[in-house]
């Protein structure tokens, strides 16, 4: 069975380079055939793999080198091997006692990440199912730490470009919907820290309790990085928790240019990262780093007498004390194996390649007479639109480009205008395909 599956995935990966970036043909009959309940008796694996292959081919292909929509995910083959092993071994890593050495492997990666972001020895990292869950735990930690149990007058501050998972997290964390303050942005779409100061003091006058500011390290629309050092300063003066949402851009910290662009991130009280974006790993791999591990623990820990004895070793934590999860997949191996197998440098070079490609894309598109790309990329995301075009023109260009089958991008509303955006973050997106992609865009608009 293993050999059959390896044959299948090998073919799947090889096919990605020629596969259409999207395919919705014949979807209805396929959906109908897949709605059947499981059979009473066994089916041959080969037949089931055929079904899986058909199903996996429908929709837009996020594993395709031409996929530059939203924030591309990864799907490193070595991480899939790690998952296969982890699922078969199936040791329990929700708390430390059942599999202390496996927990240590996961901890070693988390400690490395805390160091890369300049966080102190008191910090704690956890792997989560994704950036949304990381943001949620960060907001709960900020709320608990700054407001205690009476938090209904708490307010938090974000820019208009922030990811919606922050408002969603605030809602689930029990804060009223009007707790989220939108701070205006400058011409580069970064949070305006003067406006932030004014909003905070206006709220204090009104008797509200400002407790948290969230800065984006790479926004979803344009890739803008809020002025992290300046926001950190305001947070310090105003005694707010400072959270950085680096779900898209955080891992560029591994590169020289990324560290320049992300200066100030080391001041954060908490940082959201998404290894299933910036480390090219399969979906379901998020991360949260907290400067004060105890603050994260106080916001999440509940003990139960039927659980194994709690860990008393601060270097070997019970992960369930820091997140909403108890039983979880051993997702640590998904980071540990690729990092050890390929070495950190392979990731640094891959991320550097994305930075180079984004510059190239920006210059080529902004240089084309029919297009404008107003914001030079701070990381690997370029937003652009037809020069002097309407939103309809932009939508039309998007449709034409996406129907090529060689490229798939998404759009973003920025200050009322529709922009197309190319986010280069797939480990399979290399110069040849990206050059083809920009020429396709330029010829489509012409
Ligand atoms: C992707 C993303 C999120 C949400 O993360 P998920 O892994 O999709 O839950 C949050 N913030 C930013 C900036 C993102 O790019």
């Amino acid at each position: 069975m293993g050999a059959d599956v390896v044959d299948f995935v090998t073919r799947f990966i090889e096919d990605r380079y020629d596969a259409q970036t999207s395919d919705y043909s014949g979807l209805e009959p396929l959906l109908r055939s897949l709605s059947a309940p499981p059979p009473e008796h066994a089916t041959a694996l080969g037949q089931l793999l055929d079904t899986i292959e058909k199903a996996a081919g429908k929709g837009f292909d996020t594993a395709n080198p031409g996929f530059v929509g939203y924030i591309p995910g990864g799907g490193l083959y070595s991480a899939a091997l790690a998952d296969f092993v982890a699922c078969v071994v199936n040791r329990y890593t929700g708390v430390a006692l059942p599999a202390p050495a496996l927990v240590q492997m996961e901890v070693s990666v988390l400690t490395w990440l805390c160091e890369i972001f300049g966080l102190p020895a008191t910090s704690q990292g956890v792997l989560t199912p994704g950036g949304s869950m990381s943001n949620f735990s960060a907001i709960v930690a900020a709320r608990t730490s700054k407001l205690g149990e009476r938090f209904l007058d708490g307010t938090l501050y974000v820019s208009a470009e922030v990811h919606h998972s922050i408002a969603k997290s605030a809602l689930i964390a029990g804060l009223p919907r009007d707790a989220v303050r939108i701070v205006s942005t400058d011409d580069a779409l970064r949070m305006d820290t003067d406006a932030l100061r004014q909003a905070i003091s206006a709220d204090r006058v009104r008797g509200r309790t400002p407790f948290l500011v969230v800065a984006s390290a790479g926004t979803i629309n344009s890739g803008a990085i809020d002025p992290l050092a300046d926001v950190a300063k305001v947070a310090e003066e105003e005694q707010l928790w400072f959270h950085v949402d680096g779900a898209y851009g955080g891992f560029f910290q591994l590169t020289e240019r990324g560290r320049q662009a992300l200066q100030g991130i080391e001041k954060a009280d908490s940082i959201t990262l998404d290894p299933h974006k910036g480390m090219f790993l399969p979906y379901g791999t998020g991360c949260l780093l907290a400067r004060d591990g105890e603050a994260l623990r106080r916001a999440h820990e509940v003990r139960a007498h039927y659980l194994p004895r709690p860990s008393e070793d601060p270097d070997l934590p019970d992960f369930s004390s820091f997140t909403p999860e108890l039983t979880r997949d051993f997702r640590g191996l998904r980071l540990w194996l690729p990092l050890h197998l390929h070495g950190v440098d392979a990731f640094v070079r891959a991320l550097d390649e994305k930075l180079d490609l984004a510059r190239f894309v920006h210059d080529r598109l902004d240089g084309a007479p029919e297009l404008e790309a107003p914001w030079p990329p701070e990381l690997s995301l370029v937003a652009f639109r037809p020069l002097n075009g309407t939103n309809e023109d932009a939508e039309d260009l998007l449709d034409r480009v996406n129907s090529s089958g060689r490229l798939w991008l998404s759009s973003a509303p920025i200050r009322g205008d529709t922009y197309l955006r190319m986010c280069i973050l797939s480990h399979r997106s290399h110069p040849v395909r990206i050059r083809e992609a920009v020429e396709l865009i330029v010829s489509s608009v012409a």
Side-chain angles (χ1 to χ4, degrees):
M1 286 193 291
D4 285 352
V5 169
V6 169
D7 283 348
F8 164 72
V9 297
T10 305
R11 200 171 54 222
F12 180 83
I13 291 171
E14 282 169 1
D15 285 352
R16 297 305 13 101
Y17 294 87
D18 293 321
Q20 295 277 310
T21 47
S22 93
D23 179 7
Y24 287 86
S25 63
L27 185 61
E28 282 306 317
L30 181 61
L31 294 182
R32 269 197 302 281
S33 72
L34 292 173
S35 64
E40 198 60 34
H41 301 291
T43 313
L45 178 61
Q47 194 184 325
L48 298 175
L49 289 174
D50 288 345
T51 304
I52 295 171
E53 186 168 11
K54 278 195 206 106
K58 296 300 164 198
F60 52 83
D61 181 4
T62 46
N64 193 295
F67 182 76
V68 290
Y70 304 104
I71 309 289
L76 269 186
Y77 181 63
S78 52
L81 295 178
D83 252 21
F84 179 54
V85 174
C87 290
V88 172
V89 169
N90 206 34
R91 286 300 194 98
Y92 194 91
T93 56
V95 293
L97 188 74
L102 294 183
V103 168
Q104 177 63 69
M105 289 163 78
E106 186 164 326
V107 166
S108 72
V109 177
L110 293 165
T111 305
W112 170 73
L113 283 173
C114 285
E115 280 167 11
I116 283 174
F117 284 90
L119 297 180
T122 53
S123 60
Q124 176 69 51
V126 279
L127 296 181
T128 68
S132 298
M133 287 303 289
S134 306
N135 282 336
F136 173 65
S137 277
I139 286 178
V140 173
R143 191 202 72 194
T144 308
S145 169
K146 295 291 181 183
L147 302 172
E149 296 190 345
R150 293 173 192 279
F151 51 76
L152 291 182
D153 64 0
T155 53
L156 62 134
Y157 302 82
V158 301
S159 90
E161 298 292 317
V162 80
H163 192 272
H164 76 282
S165 58
I166 297 297
K168 183 175 173 182
S169 295
L171 179 71
I172 307 170
L175 291 154
R177 282 189 193 262
D178 75 354
V180 183
R181 296 283 180 275
I182 313 276
V183 177
S184 56
T185 51
D186 64 15
D187 290 343
L189 302 172
R190 297 178 304 198
M191 182 183 280
D192 176 344
T193 47
D194 289 334
L196 171 62
R197 277 205 174 81
Q198 284 160 17
I200 293 169
S201 64
D203 276 324
R204 289 208 198 280
V205 169
R206 251 183 253 140
R208 306 295 295 253
T209 311
F211 76 102
L212 162 68
V213 56
V214 179
S216 302
T219 60
I220 185 108
N221 283 342
S222 73
I225 300 172
D226 287 328
L228 302 179
D230 295 345
V231 176
K233 197 151 169 281
V234 177
E236 197 191 339
E237 286 166 15
E238 299 283 350
Q239 310 248 301
L240 310 189
W241 183 283
F242 174 34
H243 177 63
V244 176
D245 182 358
Y248 156 49
F251 276 105
F252 285 100
Q253 177 80 355
L254 288 173
T255 70
E256 188 79 43
R257 282 173 285 177
R259 282 192 292 281
Q260 284 291 323
L262 297 173
Q263 270 180 34
I265 199 166
E266 71 285 352
K267 304 246 169 60
D269 289 303
S270 51
I271 302 171
T272 285
L273 300 171
D274 247 348
H276 63 206
K277 292 172 179 167
M279 268 187 71
F280 321 112
L281 299 185
Y283 293 135
T285 323
C287 180
L288 176 65
L289 307 179
R291 168 175 300 273
D292 176 4
E294 284 311 304
L296 190 61
R297 182 204 295 277
R298 281 193 300 275
H300 290 89
E301 191 174 64
V302 175
R303 292 195 171 173
H305 60 263
Y306 45 75
L307 288 178
R309 183 164 39 78
S311 168
E312 275 154 25
D313 179 353
D315 295 328
L316 209 59
D318 295 328
F319 291 130
S320 67
S321 296
F322 299 93
T323 74
E325 294 181 286
L326 177 57
T327 302
R328 62 204 283 283
D329 49 342
F330 175 35
R331 54 184 81 103
L333 202 61
R334 222 179 275 157
L335 282 85
W336 188 93
L337 185 72
L339 281 166
H340 283 256
L341 181 68
H342 309 302
V344 174
D345 186 55
F347 290 88
V348 176
R349 280 185 285 116
L351 288 166
D352 265 322
E353 182 193 45
K354 309 311 162 203
L355 294 174
D356 292 340
L357 287 172
R359 289 226 174 139
F360 161 75
V361 166
H362 173 265
D363 294 351
R364 179 70 183 100
L365 294 182
D366 200 42
E370 302 88 352
L371 291 169
E372 58 167 334
W375 304 281
E378 294 191 72
L379 298 169
S380 72
L381 201 166
V382 180
F384 61 96
R385 70 196 313 273
L387 185 66
N388 303 323
T390 62
N391 286 348
E392 240 172 22
D393 294 335
E395 293 292 345
D396 189 50
L397 176 60
L398 182 69
D399 287 345
R400 260 179 292 153
V401 168
N402 284 355
S403 63
S404 72
R406 292 295 291 168
L407 180 63
W408 206 95
L409 23 86
S410 56
S411 63
I414 302 177
R415 294 184 169 169
D417 289 329
T418 300
Y419 281 79
L420 284 68
R421 50 191 283 305
M422 237 174 115
C423 182
I424 303 159
L425 200 59
S426 164
H427 59 295
R428 298 197 180 104
S429 300
H430 298 301
V432 172
R433 176 60 74 96
I434 297 300
R435 272 199 291 272
E436 180 192 330
V438 281
E439 293 318 316
L440 183 76
I441 293 168
V442 170
S443 65
S444 298
V445 73

